[in-house]
Each structure stands twice: as structure tokens, then as C-alpha cells.
């Protein structure tokens, strides 16, 4: 497609008469030699990689991992490998639930790259389906600890809003009007007041993207 060719040109894959051209809008000239190099296709299936894991629990059906901050959960744009999924495929010898697809085998829920915490991963399809139902019915309690700027007032409460993509910055999540986004509920309590900050415990009823961060800012 034209979009694919434009992307290749932006990646310095086009050479005109021996000179690399990165501007897809540059004018064409007759009599010149154009060479466009198309890279070999990459496998769409996540590959096993020997990455150290902190395993809290494991049996034949599921595995619970303490994910460190900085580790991406599954392959995505900009993170082709070096993820938790790559590490799990190595540890479990490829025996993970296939329901999540080739890029997300076994993944039932996620936490952000820079968030640390426990993740439960399904090794069997039966476990995946069962865990997914528990999450959907809010029968699994999820608690997060966050250090926030300032001290919440009141010190404990419930935040109920709609969350979705920010209308001013599509890369960020934000609180939206009632008729937009997805319903999100966070129960919070201040554990300890610090110097101009506070340690807050957040219990989630829903699991929206960046929910803790958005609700604490709100």
C-alpha cells in the first residue's frame, strides 16, 4: 500500500541513485535509479526469552508473578520483545493459555510498564476463562499503593467517573463527561501523610487503563 511505502521511506529504505531519501514528498525525476528495500517479515508470535521472574505461586493451571517496574507485560508497538510474556513463554516452556492470542498468551489482566505488582497468568484455557469471569464479575479484589502529590481531602472516599482518551492529548487517559468513556470506580484511603505527599491505598471495582493515576489526579 502507499502508506506502507511511505513508512518504509521514513525508515530510510529508499535509495535514489545511491543516496538515501527519507522524505516521501520529494519530487520524482526520470532516468534515476530507485531502490526500495522491504525488510523480511517478523514472526507475529511472541518468542520465549530467558528473563528472570519473581514467581509467587505456580501450579498446573496458573502462575502469579511479582512484576517489577520497567517491565512491559506483553509485546506491542515499540516493545517487540523483552516483555513478561517472553519471559513466561521461556519459564513455562510455551504452555500458556492461547485465548489471549499469539501476542498475549495467558494474559488475563495487565498493569502499566512502570507499575510493580502481582499479575495472575493463565496456563490453561479453563483457568483463563474462569479468571476472566471473576474479573468481569469483580470477584477478585485488586489493591494498589500509590504515592500522590498532596494529601487527599477527604482522607478516604470513593471516586466514580467516566474514563477515556483525553480530548486534548490522545496519548493520555482522563476523566470524561458522563455520556463518554467507561465507568470507573476507585475506593481510596490515606495510609500515611508524608511531606507534601501521601501514601494512598486504592481498591479498584473496575480496571480501566491508568485508572489509579487518573482518579488520584482527579
Amino acid at each position: 500500500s502507499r502508506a506502507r511505502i511511505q513508512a518504509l521511506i521514513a525508515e530510510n529504505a529508499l535509495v535514489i541513485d545511491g543516496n538515501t531519501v527519507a522524505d516521501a514528498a520529494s519530487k520524482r525525476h526520470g532516468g534515476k535509479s530507485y531502490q526500495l528495500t522491504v525488510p523480511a517479515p517478523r514472526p507475529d508470535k511472541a518468542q520465549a526469552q530467558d528473563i528472570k521472574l519473581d514467581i509467587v505461586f505456580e501450579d498446573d493451571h496458573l502462575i502469579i508473578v511479582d512484576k517489577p517496574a520497567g517491565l512491559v507485560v506483553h509485546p506491542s508497538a515499540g516493545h517487540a520483545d523483552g516483555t513478561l510474556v517472553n519471559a513466561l513463554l521461556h519459564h513455562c516452556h510455551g504452555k500458556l493459555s492461547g485465548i489471549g492470542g499469539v501476542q498475549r498468551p495467558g494474559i488475563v489482566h495487565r498493569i502499566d510498564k512502570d507499575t510493580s505488582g502481582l499479575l495472575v497468568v493463565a496456563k490453561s484455557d479453563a483457568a483463563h476463562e474462569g479468571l476472566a469471569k471473576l474479573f468481569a464479575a469483580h470477584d477478585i479484589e485488586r489493591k494498589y499503593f500509590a504515592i500522590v502529590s498532596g494529601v487527599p481531602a477527604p482522607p478516604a472516599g470513593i471516586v466514580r467517573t467516566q474514563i477515556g482518551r483525553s480530548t486534548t492529548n490522545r496519548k493520555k487517559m482522563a476523566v470524561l463527561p458522563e455520556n463518554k468513556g467507561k465507568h470507573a470506580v476507585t475506593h481510596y484511603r490515606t495510609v500515611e501523610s508524608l511531606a507534601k505527599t501521601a501514601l494512598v491505598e486504592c481498591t479498584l471495582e473496575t480496571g480501566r487503563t491508568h485508572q489509579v493515576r487518573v482518579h488520584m489526579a482527579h
Side-chain angles (χ1 to χ4, degrees), residues 3-18:
R4 174 62 173 148
I5 293 174
Q6 287 176 333
L8 288 170
I9 293 173
E11 295 170 2
N12 298 315
L14 176 64
V15 176
I16 302 176
D17 277 353

Side-chain angles (χ1 to χ4, degrees), residues 177-188:
E178 291 186 4
N179 60 338
K180 295 183 178 180
K182 294 181 178 179
H183 183 60
V185 181
T186 302
H187 300 253
Y188 75 90

Side-chain angles (χ1 to χ4, degrees), residues 161-167 169 172-176 181 209-210 214:
T161 71
Q162 300 295 112
I163 287 180
R165 292 286 173 186
S166 169
T167 55
N169 186 342
K172 292 186 176 182
M173 307 301 287
V175 169
L176 300 179
T209 302
H210 298 177
V214 172

Side-chain angles (χ1 to χ4, degrees), residues 2-149:
R2 287 175 295 178
R4 174 62 173 148
I5 293 174
Q6 287 176 333
L8 288 170
I9 293 173
E11 295 170 2
N12 298 315
L14 176 64
V15 176
I16 302 176
D17 277 353
N19 298 312
T20 300
V21 176
D23 182 9
S26 61
K27 292 184 178 181
R28 295 160 299 176
H29 299 280
K32 291 192 174 183
S33 169
Y34 288 75
Q35 181 179 345
L36 185 69
T37 302
V38 180
R42 291 176 294 187
D44 60 357
K45 185 177 181 180
Q47 305 298 306
Q49 290 179 296
D50 187 3
I51 300 172
K52 185 179 179 180
L53 291 173
D54 184 358
I55 298 170
V56 177
F57 173 84
E58 182 178 10
D59 62 15
D60 292 338
H61 304 284
L62 56 85
I63 180 171
I64 298 176
V65 179
D66 188 357
K67 188 193 85 67
L71 182 65
V72 177
V73 172
H74 60 74
S76 60
H79 302 283
D81 55 17
T83 70
L84 178 66
V85 162
N86 298 107
L88 287 167
L89 286 170
H90 179 270
H91 174 80
C92 300
H93 306 290
K95 295 180 180 179
L96 293 173
S97 165
I99 293 177
V102 294
Q103 294 285 1
R104 305 180 186 182
I107 300 301
V108 184
H109 68 122
R110 296 174 292 174
I111 54 178
D112 295 345
K113 171 188 174 183
D114 294 321
T115 300
S116 62
L118 300 178
L119 278 176
V120 57
V121 179
K123 296 172 71 174
S124 68
D125 288 352
H128 197 129
E129 291 175 350
L131 288 167
K133 289 178 181 178
L134 289 174
F135 275 108
H138 310 300
D139 282 345
I140 292 180
E141 187 176 83
R142 286 168 288 176
K143 288 188 177 183
Y144 295 81
F145 288 94
I147 294 178
V148 302
S149 177

